[in-house]
Amino acid sequence: MEERAWDGSPSELRHGLVLASSSSRQTTNDRDSLHGIGLRAADAAVVQACWLSCSCLGDTGIKQEETAWRISDVIRGAFQVVIAVAGPVGEKEVGEFPVKLLHEWGDRVWTLPELLLSPERDIEIYTLNRSLDSAQQLEQCLNSPPDRNSRRDFARFSKDESIVGQLLDHYEGSVILSPLELIATALKCLGRRNTTQHLPGDLSYSLMGLLRQRPNARKDDSAFQAFARLSLANDSNMLLERLICLLPPDPFAPWNSFEDHWDASLWDVYPRTQICGIGDNDTVILDGARAASIRWKSFKKVILHTNLTVIRRIAVIALTIVSPLFIVAIAMLAATASIDTYSSYSTTPHKAAGGIFLTLCLIVLLLSPWLIKKLYLGKVWNAQPWFFGIEGYASLSEIETKLFGADLGRLSWSMTASSLSRHDLLAHKDFVNYCEGQDPQTDTEIQARIQRALHSTESQEKIFTLVDTYTMTVTLFAAVKPPVAVLACGEEGGMQRALLCSYDWTNNTMYRETVLRMETPAYWRMSPIRRVRLGLQTRAKMG
């Protein structure tokens, strides 16, 4: 094979790029053919050199790894990209156009950055016929004109043509994605592709070629740790801080699913916290959160504040003086009766006053149920904030009876706080319609989940009830472990995203069990806390 050397005279080296793809290992014949294709492509493009993926990655494993992470820079500087595809060894025919082989090329992780970063010129495609020997294979490749496809045409060889099209729009400059959208879209696209794993963080290392800041690859990093380091190193618009606020529909979904039960995207969430470090076992160091503990032991007395209206003032005065007034009335009537017996002194005025007092006392006693109702019912303007946790399902009347002594109708079901919350649109005489939270047990599917949770094992889903006395709402939610704390970390859609976390004292880590949507006033009643170590996967999955 002829070799060419660059004399170094031009100030900038322009080169062609040849990438190989096959469904089996490359043979010596393949390498010879690739060298010939590279030289032909270099001559046709009038460039000084060609870069071959089979020969230019380095001789040693360390050198190959270092070059592989920087292959995106090679593609950026290429004058033209040439692809050589080949079927399995022994395959007689590959057809006039290798659609199947190009689909295999498009479904690989490492080929997506190659496609996105390639120059806008058409990509040349050579097909290697492995049924021929080295000389015949090379002669066939050199004598047959290559197929040509644009980058847009290559998008249809991928599983997710529409998403690849969005990324191509970005790199062509027609529709520019924000850094957050770029990373989220590219990672979603890469996650659907196939690869032979070399390192656990291969997915993030392939994404690294599309970004400016590239941290060193670490063999001991997990897939999440590699992505977290890459995200923190680049201007990802607080991607990790937004990611922890999403609630995956599947509690055991991988960290890179980017799915949310309420169909919110990453850019819909506004973080209120900062991730300032990365820990072991797929954990992050979270700072700036507000938190509150959940009390599971028992209910506590809740201090309520209501306005002292005129009726309430009258009720307080009447109920306060009725007892002493009754004693005075009885004493006056008894005294006048004794005087009448032993004296001729007139006691008519005293009898009249005692009678009036006794009549007033009887009226107050008869009205006392109504007065007590007016005194203790009505709008609550402020309440002592508590989070009470109950394992299993509990009705509103049962909770209110235990909490306030009677079913006073103060509590209501949350409308969209959890994945189990339900609500209805109701008509009103003063409004077109309004939302009202409904008892989740009215849903037959949730009813079945509640029954299954009664017999669940330690690693299976359980049902819990959370009572928020500040907003007077009750939320039914599902989790594997009972959460001990609420961490408010972001906001979305006019609601706060709160992480319900369990605690593992052996490694001092809070684990996200589920995510709730809470009303904003509850956020300001929580207390700021110091940095905390947070795991995104439930403790049951962490083992």
Side-chain angles (χ1 to χ4, degrees):
M1 179 64 59
E2 177 188 0
E3 294 185 0
R4 303 181 183 181
W6 176 53
D7 58 7
S9 55
S11 59
E12 181 180 356
L13 174 63
R14 301 168 65 207
H15 61 274
L17 178 69
V18 179
L19 303 169
S21 176
S22 64
S23 57
S24 59
R25 288 186 175 272
Q26 294 177 1
T27 64
T28 305
N29 292 353
D30 295 339
R31 294 189 184 93
D32 292 341
S33 299
L34 289 173
H35 281 87
I37 292 171
L39 294 176
R40 172 177 174 171
D43 287 337
V46 194
V47 295
Q48 295 89 350
C50 62
W51 192 96
L52 306 175
S53 61
C54 64
S55 302
C56 299
L57 284 176
D59 300 329
T60 64
I62 297 177
K63 182 65 175 176
Q64 288 180 353
E65 286 183 5
E66 292 177 352
T67 308
W69 310 142
R70 294 193 296 267
I71 193 173
S72 57
D73 296 326
V74 179
I75 299 172
R76 281 189 175 93
F79 181 78
Q80 186 171 17
V81 172
V82 178
I83 296 175
V85 294
V89 177
E91 185 177 338
K92 298 299 182 182
E93 296 181 0
V94 293
E96 295 181 357
F97 189 75
V99 177
K100 178 182 177 182
L101 300 178
L102 289 176
H103 274 290
E104 292 180 0
W105 185 89
D107 288 341
R108 291 166 56 187
V109 166
W110 295 96
T111 57
L112 178 63
E114 296 169 359
L115 174 64
L116 298 177
L117 300 176
S118 62
E120 295 186 5
R121 296 177 181 82
D122 288 348
I123 299 175
E124 295 184 353
I125 307 168
Y126 288 86
T127 305
L128 303 181
N129 190 342
R130 287 179 159 176
S131 62
L132 305 177
D133 58 26
S134 177
Q136 292 174 331
Q137 189 183 76
L138 178 59
E139 182 180 0
Q140 185 186 57
C141 288
L142 296 180
N143 293 333
S144 302
D147 295 302
R148 291 177 177 271
N149 269 19
S150 66
R151 294 195 300 178
R152 289 286 174 180
D153 293 333
F154 266 91
R156 61 188 174 91
F157 297 124
S158 304
K159 298 176 182 178
D160 38 16
E161 180 180 349
S162 61
I163 301 180
V164 176
Q166 295 175 26
L167 294 172
L168 285 173
D169 289 337
H170 172 78
Y171 282 96
E172 290 175 356
S174 57
V175 179
I176 302 299
L177 302 176
S178 68
L180 178 64
E181 291 176 308
L182 174 61
I183 295 178
T185 305
L187 190 65
K188 182 187 298 184
C189 199
L190 290 168
R192 299 178 179 178
R193 282 164 164 68
N194 306 318
T195 186
T196 301
Q197 180 174 304
H198 178 65
L199 293 177
D202 278 349
L203 196 65
S204 300
Y205 297 143
S206 61
L207 173 66
M208 186 167 60
L210 302 177
L211 306 177
R212 189 175 67 87
Q213 299 292 341
R214 303 170 194 171
N216 294 329
R218 298 186 182 182
K219 294 184 178 180
D220 57 343
D221 273 356
S222 65
F224 174 76
Q225 286 175 317
F227 174 75
R229 296 186 196 281
L230 180 63
S231 177
L232 293 180
N234 288 273
D235 179 18
S236 59
N237 201 3
M238 304 184 77
L239 186 148
L240 289 178
E241 288 83 350
R242 300 168 189 266
L243 178 62
I244 65 175
C245 295
L246 298 184
L247 176 62
D250 179 8
F252 299 102
W255 60 268
N256 60 340
S257 63
F258 291 167
E259 295 180 352
D260 183 65
H261 170 77
W262 296 282
D263 296 326
S265 301
L266 285 172
W267 41 88
D268 295 327
V269 179
Y270 292 85
R272 288 183 176 271
T273 58
Q274 180 186 23
I275 291 178
C276 55
I278 304 165
D280 298 331
N281 300 323
D282 292 351
T283 60
V284 295
I285 310 302
L286 186 68
D287 185 42
R290 285 178 175 263
S293 61
I294 301 176
R295 182 180 174 87
W296 294 89
K297 181 180 179 180
S298 62
F299 286 120
K300 291 276 288 184
K301 180 181 179 181
V302 180
I303 301 174
L304 304 177
H305 173 72
T306 56
N307 283 351
L308 194 59
T309 60
V310 174
I311 295 179
R312 284 199 179 101
R313 288 179 184 273
I314 295 174
V316 170
I317 295 172
L319 294 173
T320 301
I321 67 172
V322 65
S323 296
L325 190 62
F326 180 78
I327 296 173
V328 171
I330 295 298
M332 291 180 68
L333 292 175
T336 55
S338 176
I339 293 173
D340 289 341
T341 304
Y342 299 103
S343 174
S344 60
Y345 178 76
S346 177
T347 58
T348 303
H350 298 85
K351 287 182 180 179
I356 293 173
F357 291 161
L358 184 60
T359 303
L360 290 175
C361 290
L362 292 176
I363 293 173
V364 171
L365 289 176
L366 291 174
L367 294 177
S368 59
W370 181 80
L371 293 174
I372 292 174
K373 182 179 178 181
K374 287 297 181 180
L375 183 62
Y376 287 100
L377 292 184
K379 183 174 181 179
V380 176
W381 290 91
N382 201 0
Q384 184 182 11
W386 282 97
F387 283 126
F388 294 114
I390 304 171
E391 185 173 2
Y393 167 84
S395 64
L396 293 185
S397 60
E398 183 180 1
I399 296 173
E400 284 206 41
T401 303
K402 299 291 184 181
L403 194 58
F404 302 118
D407 184 4
L408 305 176
R410 284 174 174 161
L411 296 178
S412 61
W413 289 103
S414 57
M415 292 182 292
T416 59
S418 76
S419 58
L420 303 184
S421 297
R422 296 294 182 265
H423 64 273
D424 283 337
L425 283 176
L426 304 177
H428 192 273
K429 61 180 181 179
D430 297 327
F431 307 99
V432 177
N433 49 47
Y434 70 101
C435 275
E436 185 176 85
Q438 300 296 317
D439 189 342
Q441 204 177 25
T442 56
D443 190 324
T444 56
E445 180 183 349
I446 296 179
Q447 221 173 33
R449 292 176 66 176
I450 294 174
Q451 294 302 317
R452 286 197 302 269
L454 296 176
H455 310 285
S456 62
T457 61
E458 184 179 359
S459 60
Q460 292 178 330
E461 177 188 82
K462 301 172 184 62
I463 301 298
F464 301 98
T465 304
L466 183 70
V467 182
D468 181 2
T469 61
Y470 185 69
T471 58
M472 291 295 173
T473 56
V474 179
T475 303
L476 193 73
F477 67 93
V480 177
K481 301 285 185 181
V484 298
V486 179
L487 270 64
C489 297
E491 56 183 333
E492 168 272 326
M495 301 285 281
Q496 300 299 312
R497 288 290 178 115
L499 279 58
L500 268 60
C501 301
S502 60
Y503 180 68
D504 187 356
W505 64 271
T506 59
N507 54 14
N508 195 26
T509 303
M510 306 287 289
Y511 288 97
R512 183 184 68 180
E513 297 295 336
T514 189
V515 179
L516 298 186
R517 301 174 81 232
M518 292 186 172
E519 296 182 18
T520 301
Y523 171 82
W524 298 109
R525 296 308 301 253
M526 299 185 194
S527 303
I529 60 173
R530 294 187 292 180
R531 288 177 292 182
V532 62
R533 189 180 181 189
L534 176 68
L536 299 188
Q537 300 293 342
T538 177
R539 285 170 60 190
K541 184 172 181 179
M542 296 298 295

